[in-house]
Amino acid sequence: MQQIRGNSYYFNSPAAIGGYLFDQNLILFDTGNDDSSVRKAIRELGEVSVHAIFNTHSHADHCGGNAFIQKQHSAITYAPELESAFIENPILEPTYLYGASPVAELQNKFLMAKPSCVHKKLIDETPVILQLSGTPVVIQPILLKGHSPNQMGYITEDSVAFLGDALISTAMIDKHPLIFTFDVTSHLESLHKLFDLEADTFVIAHGGIVEDKALTIQKNIDALELTQVLILKAIESGASTIDEIHRSLSSYYHLTENLGQHLLNRSVIKAHLTHLVSKGKLNFSVAHGFLNITQQ
Ligand SMILES: [Zn+2]
């Protein structure tokens, strides 16, 4: 783990792991993909005792090392309330993507972390005060829903904000411009909230320290808005089902998908449809076994 400032650290594995180290007591912000990524992150700090884990959300690359840490250390685990259900019952992730008992192909480590226990479920932005070697340390949760149902960020006393996937790096957007979202309305609200968030440094899971906060936030907003424009254009050009919209986006974004990626992208399309229906721009109707989508 490399030091950011003061007691705040991060480890740039495929999904960054944050840390707050005080007197060899460590607080982790997410635990990466699996045992090995979190083990590597901690090893660089020498002999430490993990006092607590704060998960930003339930995606497997953010809580994949929880079970390992809980086995090795008596770490208290904090996570947003709704995300906790998924962290404790990982089968829910492929289940909600598939919409029924998921086929075996979907029960993989990319969609399912090892189950782990959440001891404290966070419901709002009430600061969490931990005692490390008898000294109070304050962690400030920030509600940042949208990328996942109840994602949160956490700000340390060094004014470092660990944001999970609330924000995606500009390089990642260039590579994967159809960004994952669960709730577009909340996602856009969270992105606007980040413009005013009082934290000196943003750390995101895929990209690490954010160099230009405003530019990155705007690029995330623009990517979400572009997807909506493309969906509306596809409908104007005759697409009337989710499959037809998916085909149109697949052609624009040059998507190559396996079953899991297909369902993730389909879920993103549905998130945008919900937003557009709630804005009064689209309607759903059902006829002859088809879910039809039409403009208002
Ligand atoms: Zn995520």
Side-chain angles (χ1 to χ4, degrees), residues 57 59 61-62 147 151 165 206:
H57 63 299
H59 291 163
D61 54 341
H62 293 257
H147 167 79
Q151 135 121 18
D165 289 340
H206 306 288

Coordinates of all heavy atoms in Angstrom, one line a residue, residues 57 59 61-62 147 151 165 206, ligand 1:
H57 N -19.6 -1.1 -1.6 CA -20.8 -1.8 -2.1 C -20.5 -3.3 -2.3 O -19.4 -3.8 -1.9 CB -21.3 -1.2 -3.4 CG -20.3 -1.2 -4.6 ND1 -19.1 -0.6 -4.6 CD2 -20.4 -1.8 -5.8 CE1 -18.5 -0.8 -5.7 NE2 -19.2 -1.6 -6.5
H59 N -20.4 -5.5 -4.9 CA -19.8 -6.2 -6.1 C -18.6 -7.0 -5.7 O -17.8 -6.5 -4.8 CB -19.4 -5.2 -7.2 CG -20.7 -4.6 -7.8 ND1 -20.6 -3.4 -8.6 CD2 -22.0 -5.0 -7.8 CE1 -21.9 -3.1 -9.0 NE2 -22.7 -4.1 -8.5
D61 N -15.7 -7.6 -6.7 CA -14.3 -7.1 -6.7 C -14.1 -6.1 -5.6 O -13.0 -5.5 -5.5 CB -13.9 -6.5 -8.1 CG -14.9 -5.5 -8.6 OD1 -16.0 -5.4 -8.1 OD2 -14.5 -4.7 -9.5
H62 N -15.1 -5.9 -4.8 CA -14.9 -4.9 -3.6 C -15.0 -5.6 -2.3 O -14.6 -5.0 -1.3 CB -16.0 -3.8 -3.7 CG -15.8 -3.0 -4.9 ND1 -15.3 -1.7 -4.9 CD2 -16.0 -3.2 -6.3 CE1 -15.1 -1.2 -6.1 NE2 -15.6 -2.1 -6.9
H147 N -24.6 3.5 -8.9 CA -23.8 2.4 -9.5 C -24.3 1.1 -9.0 O -24.4 0.1 -9.7 CB -22.3 2.6 -9.2 CG -21.5 1.4 -9.5 ND1 -21.1 1.1 -10.8 CD2 -21.0 0.4 -8.7 CE1 -20.4 0.0 -10.8 NE2 -20.3 -0.5 -9.5
Q151 N -24.7 2.2 -2.8 CA -23.3 2.4 -2.6 C -23.0 3.6 -1.7 O -23.7 4.6 -1.7 CB -22.7 2.5 -4.0 CG -21.7 3.6 -4.2 CD -20.4 3.2 -4.7 OE1 -20.2 2.1 -5.3 NE2 -19.4 4.1 -4.6
D165 N -17.0 2.6 -6.7 CA -17.3 2.8 -8.2 C -18.3 3.9 -8.4 O -18.9 4.0 -9.5 CB -17.9 1.5 -8.7 CG -16.8 0.4 -8.8 OD1 -15.6 0.7 -8.8 OD2 -17.3 -0.8 -8.9
H206 N -11.3 1.8 -9.7 CA -10.7 1.5 -11.0 C -10.0 2.7 -11.5 O -10.6 3.5 -12.3 CB -11.7 0.9 -12.0 CG -12.4 -0.3 -11.4 ND1 -11.9 -1.5 -11.2 CD2 -13.7 -0.4 -10.9 CE1 -12.7 -2.3 -10.7 NE2 -13.9 -1.6 -10.5
Ligands
ZN1 ZN -19.1 -2.0 -8.7

